[in-house]
Amino acid sequence: MTTQLNNRIKINKTKIRVGRGIGSGKGKTSGRGVKGQKSRSGVAIKSFEGGQMPLYRRLPKRGFNSISTEKVAILNLDKIQLFIDKKKINSSDLLNTDLLKKLKIINKNSTKLKILGSGEIKVKVNIEANLASKSAVEKLEKIGGSIQLKK
């Protein structure tokens, strides 16, 4: 560390220019040693440890995917209305998981069905689901539809 007359630590240190002659102390090989892969330019040996088992393979795997998590299919009221308008769903029949899976509206791997109340529904429908939001239940009952919740 160099100090100036006022004893302050010098902030702007000059960058060492490598490969500028023997006298600079960083001449000839520019501080890279002699020969070998690392003395060359453009060499990246990331995570290679000379044949030793690399760190990322020495450490144990982490994380866990539970097989018991239930896959819940979510269906909004406006989506149900859209499918009725497109004549994909008949408003007279009971909407349940089996029917929706058969029509490929919900994923075949989902185990439960949840009805959410975003959007409006104009046609009265009968729905059988596992879960439902309060707003969805209110909107369905307002237009005369019904929803049965499976326990």
Side-chain angles (χ1 to χ4, degrees), residues 23-35:
S24 69
K26 282 268 187 277
K28 194 182 170 227
T29 53
S30 308
R32 283 173 173 264
V34 190
K35 294 185 180 176

Side-chain angles (χ1 to χ4, degrees), residues 56-68:
Y56 70 91
R57 285 180 61 195
R58 267 179 284 170
L59 298 175
K61 290 181 181 178
R62 283 291 312 258
F64 176 73
N65 287 331
S66 174
I67 55 168
S68 63

Side-chain angles (χ1 to χ4, degrees), residues 91 121-127 136-148:
S91 58
I121 189 157
K122 301 170 194 95
V123 189
K124 77 172 185 182
V125 283
N126 297 327
I127 301 172
V137 174
E138 282 172 24
K139 286 178 184 177
L140 277 166
E141 286 172 352
K142 197 167 90 178
I143 57 142
S146 70
I147 184 162
Q148 292 101 32

Side-chain angles (χ1 to χ4, degrees), residues 114-132:
K114 182 169 186 173
I115 306 295
L116 299 179
S118 117
E120 287 301 315
I121 189 157
K122 301 170 194 95
V123 189
K124 77 172 185 182
V125 283
N126 297 327
I127 301 172
E128 185 181 45
N130 303 82
L131 308 152

Side-chain angles (χ1 to χ4, degrees), residues 42-61:
V43 175
I45 323 169
K46 289 190 180 75
S47 75
F48 180 68
E49 298 179 20
Q52 173 179 300
M53 188 60 65
L55 182 69
Y56 70 91
R57 285 180 61 195
R58 267 179 284 170
L59 298 175
K61 290 181 181 178

